């Protein structure tokens, strides 16, 4: 671990870069609490989505990097703003009319439209925790409702009263004139209706830590700021939470970045030290629109896990967090294959390389061994030509290709087979479009079929290609079960038939035989599918049976 610590102190991988900033902050802190506190925030106004998960995952990656370069203990709090008023009803949940009647109620006072929990806030909190637990995150869950009502935030709320004018001065600078006229950092909970009120203060009373206001009907109320009778507006709440909990690091999307100085200044005023921050780009759906909890657009957590492993999702989240990402079904196969490529590379890498490898940041020091002897994209194509509806159909082909592999010895591969069957049937099969070959492609396919039928014909194609290219390379050993040898045949046939750009030849193979415009390394695919089966497939393509 010492070598990795040394590598982590200079690594350009973004989690180490952020971890070094947190370490420097801690070392310069005057009031060290004996641990470093990482925090993520969650607004449970809608169902959790991948962006919510990504924030916890990425924070965990920075926490993990920090633990490599420092022996200072760490904690991670996942904080739910479940005392916020429900400003509008999410469009993707049932019982819309029931929820409409609960608008402006704190989310933990809104009835659960699914009927499974005490409140809508509790339901969404449970969904978040269920998923975080599935991934094995080490975190502490904090509820804003519990923090306010239990008195945990009483002291910071009293400080907000003492420093009311200073905090208001910060906020008023950021507001339009009409908004500023009625703004207060405090949002009282109506003593009778329980709704979160957005009303101006008639007075903020430092002598007894109460506020006085008129409700929407003009009735005057005086309530204490403590005990859950009042919550803070969201921007002051951000800064107050940092000060109350002693947060050392929090990341957020770029839509928060312009407000970060406001959060930080309020934290300072209330006696805290603003944390290190990291601003990430937003997640987009297939149309390039921001993923929204209330709209329910973009991939959900459960949808990704229907078609790919949790680790592939973590790999996707690791990549370029400061670049906007489109999260849709088409990104899944590449994420699966690239994750396993990095797994296979990790054991042979230097500590510097391992510190930059995404799989370290996904798994920490316990990086597993990949058992994916077949790439995921190739599994998809196998499912396509085999019209696979069940995993057993796939394993029949794979055990001929990799005799030592089985569902018991290769559980990761077995899971991937299941993902591939599901992904093929839901996304690939409906979009498959075959075409007939051109005259040039037809002639090439006939020669490819002949080459596959005998080693002699295969070597003849390679000799012809070498002569055409002026090569005097030694002939490879003819092995009709070896993916590399089969790939050399495909390459030679393409060259021999005048495909100057071999991409056009491989694209023709995919479109004529697989019904797609791109696909796997074709030699490896034929080794997996079987030479005899590949010959039969070519016959189907030539006869027009596939079209």
């Amino acid at each position: 671990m010492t070598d990795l610590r040394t590598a982590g102190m200079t690594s350009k991988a973004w989690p180490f870069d952020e971890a070094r900033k947190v370490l420097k902050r801690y070392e310069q802190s005057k009031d060290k609490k004996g641990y470093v506190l990482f925090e993520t925030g969650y607004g449970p106004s809608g169902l959790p989505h991948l962006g919510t998960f990504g924030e916890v995952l990425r924070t965990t990656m920075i926490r993990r990097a920090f633990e490599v370069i420092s022996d200072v203990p760490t904690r991670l709090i996942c904080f739910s703003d479940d005392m916020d008023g429900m400003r509008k009803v999410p469009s993707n949940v049932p019982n819309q009319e029931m929820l409409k009647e609960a608008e402006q109620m704190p989310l933990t006072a809104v009835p659960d439209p699914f009927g499974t929990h005490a409140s809508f806030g509790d339901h969404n909190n449970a969904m978040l925790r269920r998923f975080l637990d599935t991934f094995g995150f080490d975190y502490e869950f904090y509820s804003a409702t519990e923090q306010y009502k239990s008195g945990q935030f009483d002291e910071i709320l009293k400080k907000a009263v003492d420093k009311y004018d200073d905090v208001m001065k910060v906020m008023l600078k950021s507001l339009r004139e009409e908004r500023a006229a009625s703004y207060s950092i405090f949002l009282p909970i109506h003593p009778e209706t329980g709704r979160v009120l957005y009303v101006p203060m008639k007075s903020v009373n430092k002598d007894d830590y109460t506020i006085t206001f008129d409700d929407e009907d003009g009735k005057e109320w005086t309530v204490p700021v403590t005990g859950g009778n009042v919550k803070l507006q969201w921007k002051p709440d951000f800064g107050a939470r940092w000060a109350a909990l002693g947060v050392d690091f929090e990341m957020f999307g770029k839509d928060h970045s312009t407000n970060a100085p406001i959060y930080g200044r309020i934290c300072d005023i209330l006696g805290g030290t603003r944390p290190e921050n990291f601003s990430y780009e937003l997640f987009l759906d297939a149309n390039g629109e921001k993923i929204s909890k209330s709209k329910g657009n973009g991939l959900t957590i459960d949808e990704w896990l229907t078609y790919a492993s949790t680790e592939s999702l973590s790999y996707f989240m690791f990549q370029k967090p400061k670049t906007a990402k489109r999260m849709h079904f088409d990104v899944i196969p590449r994420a699966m294959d690239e994750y396993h490529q990095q797994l296979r590379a990790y054991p042979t890498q230097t500590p510097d390389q391992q510190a930059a490898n995404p799989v370290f940041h996904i798994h920490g020091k316990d990086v597993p061994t990949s058992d994916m002897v077949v790439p995921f994209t190739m599994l998809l194509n196998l499912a396509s030509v085999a019209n696979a509806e069940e995993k057993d159909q796939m394993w029949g082909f794979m055990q001929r290709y990799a005799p030592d592999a089985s569902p018991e010895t290769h559980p990761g591969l077995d899971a991937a087979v299941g993902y591939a069957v599901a992904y093929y049937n839901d996304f690939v099969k409906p979009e498959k479009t075959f075409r007939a070959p051109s005259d040039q492609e037809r002639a090439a396919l006939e020669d490819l079929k002949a080459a596959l039928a005998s080693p002699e014909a295969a070597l003849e194609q390679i000799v012809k290609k070498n002569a055409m290219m002026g090569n005097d390379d030694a002939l490879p050993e003819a092995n009709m079960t070896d993916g590399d040898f089969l790939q050399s045949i495909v390459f030679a046939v393409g060259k021999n038939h005048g495909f100057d750009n071999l991409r056009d030849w491989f694209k023709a193979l995919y479109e004529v035989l697989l019904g797609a415009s791109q696909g796997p390394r074709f030699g490896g695919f034929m080794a997996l599918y079987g030479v005899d089966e590949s010959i039969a497939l070519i016959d189907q393509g030539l006869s027009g049976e596939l079209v």
Side-chain angles (χ1 to χ4, degrees), residues 237-253:
D237 186 85
F238 236 106
R241 192 168 72 231
W242 288 350
L245 300 176
V247 176
D248 295 295
F249 176 90
E250 181 157 0
M251 68 165 57
F252 35 67

Side-chain angles (χ1 to χ4, degrees), residues 235-401:
K235 290 180 187 177
D237 186 85
F238 236 106
R241 192 168 72 231
W242 288 350
L245 300 176
V247 176
D248 295 295
F249 176 90
E250 181 157 0
M251 68 165 57
F252 35 67
K254 75 168 187 177
D255 50 345
H256 280 273
S257 59
T258 55
N259 294 318
I262 296 173
Y263 309 153
R265 180 63 187 130
I266 291 172
C267 177
D268 297 340
I269 291 169
L270 297 179
T273 301
R274 65 182 73 185
E276 285 295 322
N277 297 137
F278 179 85
S279 175
Y280 58 84
E281 265 287 356
L282 303 178
F283 295 102
L284 310 175
D285 65 12
N287 298 318
E289 297 180 358
K290 176 187 172 184
I291 291 177
S292 164
K293 290 192 295 289
S294 59
K295 287 182 182 178
N297 61 325
L299 274 173
T300 67
I301 291 165
D302 290 332
E303 283 172 335
W304 184 292
L305 296 185
T306 299
Y307 305 108
S309 66
T310 55
E311 294 83 5
S312 68
L313 174 56
S314 299
Y315 174 83
F316 184 84
M317 291 288 180
F318 176 85
Q319 302 297 320
K320 298 180 180 178
K322 289 188 174 290
T323 300
K325 291 186 178 311
R326 292 197 181 199
M327 300 201 69
H328 51 95
F329 294 104
D330 291 351
V331 306
I332 290 176
R334 175 180 289 185
M336 279 284 285
D337 279 340
E338 290 184 357
Y339 163 72
H340 282 278
Q341 288 169 10
Q342 297 289 357
L343 270 188
R344 287 189 288 272
Y346 188 83
T348 62
Q349 291 179 327
T350 65
D352 286 339
Q353 292 170 325
Q354 289 178 336
N357 190 321
V359 300
F360 167 77
H361 299 282
I362 294 169
H363 297 286
K365 61 182 179 179
D366 299 319
V367 175
T369 301
S370 173
D371 65 3
M372 284 283 286
V373 295
V374 179
F376 188 69
T377 48
M378 195 175 290
L379 291 177
L380 290 177
N381 284 279
L382 177 61
S384 177
V385 297
N387 290 307
E389 301 287 339
E390 302 291 340
K391 288 197 298 183
D392 289 347
Q393 293 172 262
M394 302 277 281
W395 270 108
F397 290 99
M398 291 193 301
Q399 287 183 316
R400 182 173 53 191
Y401 174 77

Side-chain angles (χ1 to χ4, degrees), residues 448-459 462 477-486 489 523 526-528 530-532 535:
L448 177 58
K449 186 177 73 166
L452 294 175
S454 77
E456 293 79 10
L459 290 171
I462 296 172
E477 181 179 348
N479 182 350
M480 303 305 287
T481 63
D482 179 65
D484 290 337
F485 180 67
L486 295 174
I489 299 172
M526 290 192 296
L528 174 62
V531 170
D532 290 341
I535 292 172

Side-chain angles (χ1 to χ4, degrees), residues 7-76:
M9 292 304 294
T10 58
S11 174
K12 293 181 180 179
W14 64 265
F16 279 115
D17 203 26
E18 297 306 310
R20 290 192 294 269
K21 295 175 186 176
V22 176
L23 179 59
K24 181 178 179 181
R25 178 189 185 280
Y26 182 82
E27 290 174 342
Q28 294 177 345
S29 173
K30 294 178 181 178
D31 300 315
K32 294 182 174 62
K33 47 187 186 294
Y35 60 89
V36 164
L37 181 62
F38 294 85
E39 184 190 42
T40 66
Y42 167 59
S45 57
L47 306 181
H49 58 68
L50 286 170
T52 309
F53 162 71
E55 194 165 295
V56 181
L57 174 74
R58 287 168 168 170
T59 302
T60 296
M61 289 177 173
I62 296 169
R63 180 189 184 189
R64 183 174 287 130
F66 180 88
E67 291 171 345
V68 169
I69 63 173
S70 172
D71 294 321
V72 177
T74 63
R75 295 171 59 198
L76 170 61

